[in-house]
Amino acid sequence: MNNSTTICYKCQETDKTKISTLFGYSICKPCISNLGLLQDATIKRHITSFDPSLKKNLETTSHKEAVSNRIILLERGYISKKIKLLHIQKRLKEL
């Protein structure tokens, strides 16, 4: 087993009995609790209250699509930030 599956990405917990994998990320039980994941009832309430007229992207027609679009935007932002940090790291090695 490699380190990425035995260390919580958030707090660096190493006790294997406390570590779970959630959507491909290693995370400990206390950190899962601190994420504030939504309960099914809350998700259903959001779906029923979703107002397509308030959406920024006119091509989005449902709550499910809006969530998918937000994930895409989040991933793009993450990649951009990672590239910037990797660039800085590379430059620091060369300076």
Side-chain angles (χ1 to χ4, degrees):
M1 195 177 269
N2 64 30
N3 280 347
S4 64
T5 59
T6 58
I7 298 174
C8 175
Y9 85 92
K10 199 166 172 81
C11 73
Q12 307 303 303
E13 174 64 63
T14 58
D15 182 348
K16 293 178 185 180
T17 63
K18 295 180 182 178
I19 306 291
S20 302
T21 300
L22 188 61
F23 302 107
Y25 296 97
S26 296
I27 185 168
C28 68
K29 293 171 186 170
C31 287
I32 290 174
S33 296
N34 291 334
L35 287 176
L37 299 176
L38 301 179
Q39 300 293 320
D40 288 349
T42 306
I43 294 170
K44 288 176 184 176
R45 189 173 67 245
H46 284 222
I47 292 169
T48 58
S49 67
F50 180 70
D51 183 356
S53 67
L54 298 177
K55 64 186 180 257
K56 292 180 181 179
N57 182 351
L58 297 175
E59 296 160 358
T60 303
T61 58
S62 71
H63 188 265
K64 190 175 186 177
E65 289 176 4
V67 171
S68 294
N69 288 339
R70 289 181 69 186
I71 290 170
I72 291 168
L73 292 173
L74 181 69
E75 287 173 342
R76 288 179 185 162
Y78 164 78
I79 292 168
S80 296
K81 289 174 184 173
K82 185 172 182 178
I83 289 170
K84 286 181 181 181
L85 289 172
L86 289 170
H87 169 75
I88 291 168
Q89 188 177 48
K90 180 183 174 190
R91 296 302 304 141
L92 288 171
K93 288 178 184 177
E94 294 175 6
L95 294 176

